[in-house]
Amino acid sequence: MFKATLKSVLSRKVRLLLSGLAVVLGVTFVAGAFVLQDTLNRSFDAQFAGAYDDIDLQVAAKARVSGGVGDAASAPVGLDAATVRRVADVPGVGKARGDIRVEGARALGKDGKVVPSTGGPRYGKGWTGETSLLALRDGHAPAKPDEVAINAGLAEKGHFSVGDSIGVLTGQPKRTFTVAGIFGYSGDRDSIGGEQTVAFTEPVARELMLGDNGQYSAVTVDLASGAKSATVQAALKKELGSGFEVRTGEELSKASADRSREVLDLVTQVLLGFAAVAVLVGVFLIINTFSIIIAQRMRELALLRALGASRRQMIGSVLLESLVIGLVAAVIGLGLGVGLGALGASLLADTMEGLEVADLGVPASAVIVSLVVGVGVTMLAALFPALRAAKVAPIAVIRSAVAPDRRHRKQTWTGSVLLVLGAGLLMTGLVGSGDAAMSAVLPGVLLAFIGVTLLTPLFSRPAVWLLGGLFSRSLPGQLGRRNSARNPRRTAITASALMIGVALVTTLSTVAASAKDSVNNEISDKLKAQLVAMGDSGDSMSASIDPAALRQARGLDGVAAVAAASFDTAKVGKSTQSVSSWEDWEAARGMLSLRAEAGSVDELAPGTVLMNKATAKDRDLAVGDKVTVQLQRGEPHTYRLAGTFEDMALANSVVIPWADATEGFRYAQPSQAYFQLAPDASVASVQPGIEKALRDSPEVTVQSKDAIAKKFNDGFDMMLNVVQALLAVAMIIAVLGIVNTLALSVMERTKELGALRAIGLGRGQTIRMIMTESVVISLFGAVLGVVVGAGLGLAVAHSMRSQGVNTLSLPWSLMAVYLVGAAIVGALASLGPARRGARLNVLRAVTQE
């Protein structure tokens, strides 16, 4: 039986190779993700190794609010001199000194713009002298309030030399300093992890980075002679309590490396997403291939049964074939994945300056997962055809070689149940809001999607017959139409491979189109400000605006009103929430066209807050209720909810009074500003004056409404580019599936094709017949994918209304492109099988048994 199985595999190398290619693609992306992750993990570990060698222990207060908005870290909690003394008095502490090192110092280049990031954070620190880690390379340490020292990485990026002037943005308006010195790190490193550091004198660092005199961001501990790190660490934790973190130098290095891996995690998730699509689509291809092969080998299998082969041996035979295919595909995919991982690491290293990529390595996890995915998926997909092969009766040796298509009632019932369950979860999510809605919608989408896939054979015959009518004017078109409808289950499985990819990208495209139109509609219909100053990245915390510049802008001719905004992250109740504040709430409310849903939003009195409707509903709050808010700085505040406003993309958050924001936000300065012009003023005449007033706020750009809409649209378009790449992977595998199905179908119908040729069907007509069959199957999969994807996409978009997605839109042009692309894919996939069918020897074909 083993020899017979191997001979069967070798006799069908081409067909099974096409099936294996889908597995190869999936394994390639899986292996590439693991290889890339391992290589860059070791690169980051090496980059930060020794970064904190000069620190035995470090004490820091826990942040009041975990995380920040955009690129901003949590605001540090200042430590006073008394805390430093408490640390110094703990047994085992040899020396304790207060240090200042805080994120948020952005250096300005000679062009007046912020020096681009090299992949790491931007620090402002107080100079405490040279250490075993840090040493001056040029110039001297900062000794005067207007002097700074910068690391060599920043000096190179900004083309700075000792003696140059350098502008620095912090939590306060722009300050100009003189570069007194340039320093580097041990190991001849210009930067650690791409960070940029500006070192001030300690009083200036305290003023700019902490805003509080007499405080530090951390306490650095040198152990006493003979003291053990773990013992002193435990003693410090006991002395200081749960409000403090006590970490070793190794733990600090690991934390820094982990933070730098965030971009790596995103890349890995994208690669695994491609792998999931490839594997999922490949399952259908493998099932179809083995199903057709088993149908064609009915007599052969029956003969084996007649000779004494048991059902267990029949199942084992088919699974052994799948094991060989999966193993070969996994090995090939692993090799390609190693190359993909190496390419990805190289590309990321080019974008992250200062990162030295470690030697390429293949972790054991990559090998194990590749084998599990390759072999496991292939064998799992072949299991159902194997069970079908085991049911072949010995009497089938005298029957037709091809078994008729059968109804699969269990599959229909299973698909119906899953579809009903999915629809129920979708309905539950659609009537809810916020996180609760999404938690119901996403499982509902998955169950509904699987249910539709299982039900595909049920309506494949009428759907294919209807689509085939587009090509039935000629005899080849009529024959192709009949061929595509003769085996609904086979057609459904072949079309499902394409349907999955098209449905996935249509879902994401629909969500993106709805979000895009929601933002565009808000900007065009509700935003009354003609000009907006915001960071180039569009992030609410990526910039700061000098308040003095805004006062100057308010006095310009043609400016009717200015609404300055500041954004941050706060702990609202028991969970983290985006919060905002407006210097002039009345002007902001008018410019954003905010409409009250409950209570009043006309004013924002001290001790009150406003929320968008979805946030209040998620937190089960009503007008008049009390809510506690912990801002980044200061003690918790208790507010009364004065009113709620409609959900919208431009203003979804908790709005707190401006006076509290200036004291409690990480940055007191506004990060955005909206300008409403006088009725007789034009954008062209006013914009230059505003830009001149904001010249010392280089992080922001003054933009028109059209420019803001374009910025948002560019972000959505970038996401859609990734979606199209996913579709490309699905299309490639779908082509393999159609080619495989048609090739096997041509072999299956050799005698029939010979008869058609014998009675006058020409070669060109034969090609058109097979091409019609292929195009109809492809269109069926694409139409089904577009319909399912559009429905699921609208459901997901509707559940996101709490995020401001209040307009449901369909990407009509993209859906048309998907359909046209499917027809082209079908035509291309048919070329090989159609050519083979047209070149059949008529006499041999007619006489074939």
Side-chain angles (χ1 to χ4, degrees):
M1 198 68 189
F2 179 76
K3 292 181 179 179
T5 300
L6 291 182
K7 187 174 181 180
S8 174
V9 173
L10 294 175
S11 66
R12 298 172 176 84
K13 294 187 291 291
V14 176
R15 311 174 212 173
L16 298 179
L17 176 63
L18 291 173
S19 302
L21 284 177
V23 181
V24 168
L25 284 175
V27 173
T28 297
F29 289 119
V30 171
F34 278 87
V35 170
L36 175 64
Q37 187 176 47
D38 175 76
T39 303
L40 291 184
N41 277 347
R42 288 185 289 107
S43 301
F44 285 124
D45 289 340
Q47 184 78 7
F48 288 97
Y52 295 90
D53 279 352
D54 58 336
I55 295 178
D56 291 332
L57 292 171
Q58 185 187 82
V59 176
K62 290 184 178 179
R64 294 185 174 89
V65 180
S66 299
V69 179
D71 295 330
S74 299
V77 177
L79 305 178
D80 56 20
T83 303
V84 179
R85 289 192 295 271
R86 284 179 65 192
V87 171
D89 291 339
V90 172
V93 174
K95 182 180 179 182
R97 67 178 185 276
D99 287 329
I100 301 170
R101 186 170 182 260
V102 180
E103 282 192 53
R106 292 92 70 199
L108 303 180
K110 296 181 179 180
D111 59 355
K113 300 294 183 181
V114 175
V115 176
S117 171
T118 53
R122 298 181 172 105
Y123 290 115
K125 72 183 297 289
W127 181 265
T128 55
E130 297 180 275
T131 66
S132 59
L133 173 69
L134 180 152
L136 285 167
R137 294 183 182 175
D138 192 13
H140 59 84
K144 301 177 182 178
D146 62 349
E147 290 182 341
V148 295
I150 61 176
N151 68 324
L154 174 56
E156 181 181 359
K157 190 71 176 179
H159 307 290
F160 292 112
S161 301
V162 172
D164 287 346
S165 294
I166 181 172
V168 182
L169 296 174
T170 59
Q172 298 188 20
K174 171 186 171 183
R175 292 269 294 269
T176 302
F177 299 87
T178 299
V179 177
I182 297 174
F183 60 88
Y185 301 96
S186 59
D188 199 31
R189 290 175 292 180
D190 294 341
S191 173
I192 298 178
E195 49 79 38
Q196 297 176 0
T197 299
V198 179
F200 310 93
T201 61
E202 192 171 276
V204 173
R206 183 175 292 113
E207 174 195 354
L208 296 181
M209 305 311 301
L210 293 173
D212 235 338
N213 290 328
Q215 293 200 333
Y216 305 93
S217 62
V219 179
T220 299
V221 174
D222 294 335
L223 297 178
S225 177
K228 293 183 178 181
S229 177
T231 303
V232 179
Q233 185 178 26
L236 284 169
K237 289 181 178 180
K238 182 178 180 180
E239 167 66 24
L240 298 174
S242 60
F244 292 81
E245 293 179 326
V246 183
R247 294 185 287 183
T248 65
E250 291 81 0
E251 290 171 340
L252 292 170
S253 295
K254 184 180 182 302
S256 298
D258 290 343
R259 178 176 177 183
S260 296
R261 292 190 185 110
E262 292 177 359
V263 63
L264 169 63
D265 292 340
L266 177 60
V267 175
T268 302
Q269 290 169 11
V270 170
L271 288 178
L272 291 177
F274 281 100
V277 172
V279 170
L280 182 61
V281 178
V283 166
F284 289 90
L285 174 55
I286 297 167
I287 291 175
N288 209 21
T289 300
F290 275 94
S291 297
I292 296 173
I293 289 176
I294 287 171
Q296 292 177 348
R297 294 170 55 198
M298 197 66 68
R299 284 186 177 180
E300 175 189 332
L301 296 173
L303 181 60
L304 290 173
R305 290 296 313 279
L307 293 174
S310 66
R311 289 191 173 184
R312 180 176 296 179
Q313 286 178 309
M314 302 300 293
I315 295 174
S317 175
V318 176
L319 292 181
L320 180 58
E321 289 187 32
S322 67
L323 172 63
V324 173
I325 296 169
L327 187 60
V328 173
V331 172
I332 296 174
L334 177 60
L336 295 175
V338 172
L340 179 63
L343 176 62
S346 177
L347 293 175
L348 279 177
D350 290 340
T351 60
M352 301 178 68
E353 298 182 21
L355 177 65
E356 296 183 6
V357 178
D359 294 335
L360 186 67
V362 181
S365 58
V367 177
I368 294 172
V369 174
S370 296
L371 292 175
V372 169
V373 170
V375 176
V377 167
T378 308
M379 294 185 69
L380 182 63
L383 179 61
F384 296 104
L387 294 174
R388 185 181 179 190
K391 295 179 180 179
V392 175
I395 192 65
V397 73
I398 61 175
R399 296 178 183 168
S400 173
V402 180
D405 189 48
R406 299 178 299 167
R407 295 182 181 274
H408 292 259
R409 295 181 178 178
K410 291 183 179 179
Q411 178 177 327
T412 301
W413 277 106
T414 303
S416 301
V417 171
L418 291 177
L419 182 58
V420 170
L421 289 175
L425 287 174
L426 285 174
M427 292 302 298
T428 301
L430 293 179
V431 299
S433 64
D435 294 338
M438 290 300 295
S439 63
V441 166
L442 294 181
V445 167
L446 179 62
L447 291 177
F449 189 77
I450 297 174
V452 170
T453 302
L454 293 176
L455 291 174
T456 303
L458 187 66
F459 46 82
S460 65
R461 189 188 297 273
V464 166
W465 189 258
L466 181 63
L467 289 171
L470 300 173
F471 309 95
S472 60
R473 293 184 179 181
S474 62
L475 178 61
Q478 294 175 11
L479 292 173
R481 179 190 191 187
R482 292 176 180 273
N483 289 337
S484 60
R486 70 163 64 179
N487 195 323
R489 184 171 179 272
R490 180 184 302 177
T491 297
I493 294 177
T494 305
S496 293
L498 184 59
M499 183 269 288
I500 291 173
V502 173
L504 175 63
V505 297
T506 302
T507 299
L508 297 176
S509 299
T510 300
V511 173
S514 299
K516 188 175 181 178
D517 287 349
S518 297
V519 173
N520 288 340
N521 290 342
E522 283 190 11
I523 291 175
S524 61
D525 299 339
K526 294 185 178 182
L527 184 60
K528 304 305 180 184
Q530 290 81 10
L531 291 170
V532 178
M534 64 168 54
D536 290 334
S537 68
D539 193 283
S540 57
M541 273 299 296
S542 63
S544 62
I545 303 176
D546 187 349
L550 290 178
R551 289 193 293 270
Q552 182 181 347
R554 283 189 175 90
L556 294 175
D557 292 337
V559 175
V562 177
S566 187
F567 300 84
D568 209 340
T569 300
K571 190 174 182 180
V572 181
K574 296 182 179 181
S575 57
T576 301
Q577 167 75 45
S578 173
V579 295
S580 64
S581 187
W582 299 79
E583 186 178 15
D584 186 340
W585 173 246
E586 183 179 356
R589 180 176 56 80
M591 292 187 202
L592 296 174
S593 302
L594 283 182
R595 182 172 58 86
E597 290 285 344
S600 173
V601 297
D602 293 339
E603 62 177 348
L604 187 59
T608 64
V609 294
L610 303 174
M611 295 182 182
N612 62 302
K613 178 182 177 182
T615 298
K617 184 176 181 181
D618 287 345
R619 300 181 181 281
D620 196 25
L621 293 172
V623 172
D625 287 350
K626 301 290 185 179
V627 58
T628 301
V629 179
Q630 172 63 69
L631 300 177
Q632 294 275 354
R633 301 179 186 277
E635 299 303 316
H637 292 68
T638 298
Y639 295 97
R640 179 181 62 84
L641 180 60
T644 60
F645 51 86
E646 61 182 335
D647 299 325
M648 56 188 302
L650 295 179
N652 273 2
S653 64
V654 175
V655 185
I656 70 170
W658 183 254
D660 295 339
T662 55
E663 295 180 359
F665 277 16
R666 175 173 170 81
Y667 297 113
Q669 296 183 91
S671 56
Q672 292 182 5
Y674 291 72
F675 302 89
Q676 187 170 13
L677 307 186
D680 58 345
S682 66
V683 169
S685 62
V686 178
Q687 185 170 350
I690 297 177
E691 291 175 342
K692 183 178 180 181
L694 301 183
R695 61 185 178 276
D696 285 335
S697 300
E699 291 178 299
V700 299
T701 302
V702 181
Q703 304 167 77
S704 65
K705 292 170 63 172
D706 291 340
I708 295 172
K710 183 179 183 303
K711 179 176 294 186
F712 280 106
N713 293 341
D714 289 343
F716 291 123
D717 291 341
M718 184 179 298
M719 185 189 79
L720 287 176
N721 289 336
V722 177
V723 170
Q724 307 311 321
L726 284 173
L727 177 61
V729 172
M731 285 283 194
I732 291 172
I733 300 176
V735 167
L736 298 177
I738 296 171
V739 169
N740 217 11
T741 300
L742 291 177
L744 295 172
S745 182
V746 167
M747 294 181 64
E748 181 180 276
R749 304 200 309 259
T750 298
K751 189 170 184 177
E752 175 187 321
L753 291 172
L756 290 172
R757 291 292 313 281
I759 62 176
L761 190 69
R763 287 188 173 183
Q765 290 177 310
T766 303
I767 291 175
R768 291 199 296 275
M769 176 187 69
I770 297 175
M771 185 174 291
T772 298
E773 180 180 354
S774 177
V775 171
V776 168
I777 293 174
S778 296
L779 281 177
F780 170 53
V783 169
L784 187 60
V786 164
V787 172
V788 172
L792 297 180
L794 289 175
V796 173
H798 182 72
S799 68
M800 295 172 63
R801 59 191 181 278
S802 61
Q803 283 79 42
V805 180
N806 45 38
T807 300
L808 298 181
S809 302
L810 289 173
W812 295 106
S813 59
L814 287 177
M815 291 193 297
V817 170
Y818 299 157
L819 295 177
V820 173
I824 295 174
V825 163
L828 293 176
S830 70
L831 293 180
R835 185 180 180 188
R836 179 174 182 178
R839 290 187 173 185
L840 285 176
N841 185 295
V842 177
L843 292 179
R844 291 181 181 176
V846 172
T847 58
Q848 178 173 308
E849 290 295 332

